[in-house]
């Protein structure tokens, strides 16, 4: 199981000292109907109250005291709350209104920890390490940005492993569907358990092992799908056109994911598919281009369908093997600072090019497709792309954890930011799903072959 969809910078260290502008090393699309949502659990809606923390804590404790006749508890926490309220003004002046680590905040955390430790009814479920991770994750989640994520040590190691093209899972690429808060299958790797189990691109994962995943971070969903080799994961799938959910069991195995596939057609056209832009992709793409060109290709079909994105430096390297001299992409941060990535044009493609895209072509895929379209060196065929025009920087921390943070917007060579809109293809061609899955006919690819034949002739 892999996840992506980010134009990532990878910084190898991070510490105090402010912004580091240097570098080492989606969102709109037509959405399927939202699966039926379960009602709230009995006894309430589960919504968050809007009252002040201290007032809520006091009210909850007083109710508990009345029910359980624990008057001492009510008095003791009332005094604690009163003391805290009295010190609020002084704390604000001392620590600054915007401080997250001020005295009042720390006292509040201590109060919460004490109440949980003393009253939570399942002692064995209290895990201090998870609580601490939850604090860090909650801080990042408060940004409301699905692409900014805190990784604990285990999650960070798994992410680094996946970018090297090897991981343990089912062989499918996942992206987060913002309309439903669920995971969407952006692509299925050929010959993997996911393909053998019948999973398809654009399937929506509704539950994993009979547990709902709506609202979880993508990293958490991926970790639930992944697991030890040989074990099974049960997926509840929503598929457009099906009357009911599909219940599918998939056996996990070690996945060595080739990110680039290629072949030569009898008419002298080369076909190259890039599944994602990982650390291994540059070398794999270089090999593919060498074979295709060495075979005397008269034209190339570049397939970016289902490609969720990946590393910004990698897609820039690949663009330099295709584009003419000039700008590939530029980024701009909140300070207005602009960083440009250019091509010297020495490897500009001199034969016809068709690029296949769809609603799951995101992020780095859109950088490449956008540049091809702006320079008019190829024809885009398929459907509107995902629409992710922002860049994340991955900041490894000194304790083995990491923070992925959205740091800038990116713009195509002509200055277009496609975030939330995507890239319109030159030729719109919807996938005939029935023909593809029943008869094995890829009508979008067939259309690409027709167009490139016209270009060659």
């Amino acid at each position: 199981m892999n996840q992506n969809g980010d134009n990532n910078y990878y910084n190898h260290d991070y510490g105090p000292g402010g912004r580091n502008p240097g570098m080492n090393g989606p969102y709109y699309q037509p959405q399927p109907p939202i699966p039926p949502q379960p009602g709230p659990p009995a006894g309430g809606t589960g919504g968050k109250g809007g009252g002040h923390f201290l007032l809520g804590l006091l009210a909850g404790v007083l109710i508990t005291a009345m029910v359980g006749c624990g008057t001492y508890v009510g008095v003791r926490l009332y005094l604690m709350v009163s003391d805290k309220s009295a010190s609020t003004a002084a704390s604000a002046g001392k620590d600054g209104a915007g401080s997250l680590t001020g005295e009042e905040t720390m006292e509040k955390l201590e109060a919460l920890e004490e109440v949980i430790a003393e009253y939570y009814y399942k002692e064995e479920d209290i895990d201090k390490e998870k609580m601490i991770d939850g604090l860090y994750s909650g801080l990042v989640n408060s940004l409301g940005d699905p692409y900014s994520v805190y990784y604990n040590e285990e999650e960070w190691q798994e992410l680094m492993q996946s970018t090297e093209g090897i991981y343990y899972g089912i062989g499918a690429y996942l992206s987060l569907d913002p309309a439903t808060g669920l995971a969407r299958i952006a692509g299925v790797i050929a010959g993997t358990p996911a393909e053998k189990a019948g999973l398809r691109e654009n399937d929506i994962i509704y539950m994993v092992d009979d547990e709902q995943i709506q609202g979880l971070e993508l990293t958490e969903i991926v970790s639930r799908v992944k697991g030890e080799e040989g074990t099974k994961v049960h997926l509840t799938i929503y598929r457009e056109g099906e009357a009911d959910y599909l219940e599918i069991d998939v056996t996990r195995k070690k996945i060595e994911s080739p990110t680039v596939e290629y072949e030569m057609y009898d008419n002298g056209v080369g076909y190259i598919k890039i599944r994602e832009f990982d650390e291994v992709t540059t070398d794999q793409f270089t090999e593919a281009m060498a074979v295709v060109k060495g075979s005397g290709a008269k034209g190339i079909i570049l397939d970016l369908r289902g490609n969720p994105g990946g590393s910004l430096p990698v897609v820039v390297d690949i663009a330099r093997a295709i584009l003419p001299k000039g700008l590939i992409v530029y980024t701009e941060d909140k300070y207005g600072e602009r960083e440009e990535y250019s091509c010297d044009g020495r490897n500009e493609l001199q034969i016809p090019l068709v690029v296949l895209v769809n609603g799951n072509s995101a992020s780095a895929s859109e950088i490449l497709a956008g540049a091809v379209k702006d320079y008019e060196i190829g024809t885009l065929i398929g459907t509107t792309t995902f629409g992710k025009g922002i860049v994340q920087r991955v900041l490894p921390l000194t304790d083995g954890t990491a923070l992925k943070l959205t740091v800038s917007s990116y713009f195509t060579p002509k200055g277009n930011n496609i975030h939330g809109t995507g890239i319109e293809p030159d030729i719109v061609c919807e996938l005939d799903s029935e023909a593809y899955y029943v008869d094995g006919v890829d009508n979008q690819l067939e259309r690409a072959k027709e167009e490139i034949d016209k270009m060659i002739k």
Side-chain angles (χ1 to χ4, degrees):
M1 178 59 55
N2 201 0
Q3 59 170 325
N4 222 307
D6 302 316
N7 296 320
N8 289 332
Y9 296 98
Y10 288 90
N11 284 12
H12 296 299
D13 195 12
Y14 176 74
R19 284 188 307 121
N20 177 6
M23 177 189 74
N24 293 320
Y27 212 99
Y28 169 83
Q29 64 177 345
Q31 302 296 339
I34 299 176
Q37 302 303 319
T45 63
K48 296 181 180 179
H52 193 278
F53 157 72
L54 302 177
L55 179 60
L57 175 62
L58 176 59
V61 171
L62 288 180
I63 290 173
T64 304
M66 289 166 60
V67 172
C69 299
T71 54
Y72 171 73
V73 172
V75 171
R76 187 182 67 172
L77 288 179
Y78 174 77
L79 291 174
M80 180 176 66
V81 170
S82 298
D83 290 343
K84 190 184 301 291
S85 298
S87 67
T88 297
S91 296
K94 178 180 178 181
D95 301 312
S99 174
L100 295 176
T101 57
E103 183 178 344
E104 182 180 2
T105 304
M106 301 311 294
E107 286 181 355
K108 179 174 176 177
L109 285 174
E110 290 174 3
L112 288 172
E113 183 180 14
E114 181 179 343
V115 171
I116 291 171
E118 189 160 350
Y119 298 109
Y120 186 67
Y121 79 117
K122 286 188 177 181
E123 181 78 24
E124 66 276 11
D125 287 350
I126 299 177
D127 186 323
K128 291 296 180 65
E129 186 173 337
K130 286 185 178 180
M131 292 171 75
I132 293 171
D133 279 345
L135 288 174
Y136 302 144
S137 296
L139 176 63
V140 180
N141 293 344
S142 71
L143 298 172
D145 175 15
Y147 307 108
S148 293
V149 180
Y150 167 77
Y151 297 105
N152 63 31
E153 192 169 355
E154 181 180 355
E155 292 166 343
W156 173 233
Q157 290 303 316
E158 288 178 355
L159 180 65
M160 293 303 294
Q161 184 184 64
S162 71
T163 63
E164 295 170 356
I166 301 174
Y167 53 93
Y168 294 85
I170 64 173
Y173 299 102
L174 296 188
S175 63
L176 193 64
D177 186 324
T180 62
L182 298 169
R184 173 191 296 272
I185 295 180
V188 176
I189 302 173
T192 62
E195 183 186 57
K196 293 176 182 177
L199 292 174
R200 298 180 182 179
E201 184 174 330
N202 287 322
D203 280 350
I204 298 289
I205 300 177
Y206 184 51
M207 290 194 289
V208 177
D209 288 331
D210 297 321
E211 293 186 0
Q212 291 187 27
I213 60 170
Q214 189 172 33
L216 296 180
E217 294 292 331
L218 184 59
T219 51
E220 174 64 20
I221 298 172
V222 169
S223 69
R224 294 189 182 197
V225 174
K226 293 167 66 176
E228 294 184 8
E229 188 171 13
T231 60
K232 289 186 177 181
V233 59
H234 181 77
L235 303 178
T236 302
I237 298 294
Y238 168 79
R239 180 177 294 165
E240 187 173 4
E242 296 290 340
D244 202 354
Y245 292 111
L246 305 177
E247 304 292 341
I248 299 177
D249 288 316
V250 191
T251 302
R252 303 176 177 103
K253 65 175 292 187
K254 182 178 181 180
I255 306 295
E256 296 189 17
S257 166
T259 63
V260 179
E261 301 167 12
Y262 61 92
E263 63 177 300
M264 284 292 299
Y265 297 137
D266 292 337
N267 62 349
V269 173
Y271 171 82
I272 300 176
K273 181 175 182 64
I274 305 177
R275 292 192 173 275
E276 60 181 328
F277 296 94
D278 281 348
E279 293 177 6
V280 297
T281 305
T282 301
D283 289 342
Q284 293 178 3
F285 179 79
T286 301
E287 176 186 341
M289 285 292 282
V291 172
V292 167
K293 286 183 175 180
S295 300
K298 301 174 183 177
I300 292 177
I301 297 173
L302 179 61
D303 194 345
L304 299 178
R305 293 175 298 173
N307 184 322
S311 168
L312 176 60
V314 170
V315 72
V316 166
D317 283 344
I318 288 173
R320 287 173 177 150
I322 296 175
L323 298 180
K325 183 177 181 179
L327 192 62
I328 298 171
V329 65
Y330 68 90
T331 64
E332 196 169 287
D333 65 18
K334 69 178 183 179
Y335 301 97
E337 294 184 6
R338 175 167 164 163
E339 188 166 4
E340 298 184 351
Y341 300 85
S342 300
C343 176
D344 59 19
R346 288 183 296 180
N347 299 310
E348 180 181 354
L349 197 62
Q350 300 296 329
I351 55 179
L353 173 68
V354 167
V355 180
L356 284 168
V357 294
N358 65 6
N360 290 318
S361 304
S363 198
S365 298
E366 294 172 294
I367 287 177
L368 185 55
V372 168
K373 185 170 184 176
D374 279 5
Y375 283 110
E376 299 180 356
I377 64 166
T379 300
L380 271 59
I381 297 178
T383 56
T384 304
T385 62
F386 200 75
K388 180 176 181 290
I390 51 179
V391 179
Q392 285 68 45
R393 173 166 292 160
V394 181
L395 303 164
L397 307 178
T398 54
D399 63 350
T401 63
L403 173 64
K404 181 176 71 176
L405 198 65
T406 300
V407 296
S408 59
S409 298
Y410 77 75
F411 299 82
T412 68
K414 288 187 176 180
N416 299 316
N417 177 258
I418 52 82
H419 193 66
T421 59
I423 299 171
E424 294 286 342
D426 300 302
I427 299 174
V428 176
C429 180
E430 298 281 349
L431 178 69
D432 185 337
S433 298
E434 183 175 353
Y436 184 81
Y437 290 109
V438 176
D439 303 322
V441 176
D442 186 342
N443 67 298
Q444 291 178 324
L445 179 57
E446 293 304 315
R447 181 62 186 275
K449 291 178 181 179
E450 292 174 10
E451 292 300 320
I452 207 159
D453 276 341
K454 296 176 185 176
M455 296 172 159
I456 292 172
K457 295 175 181 178

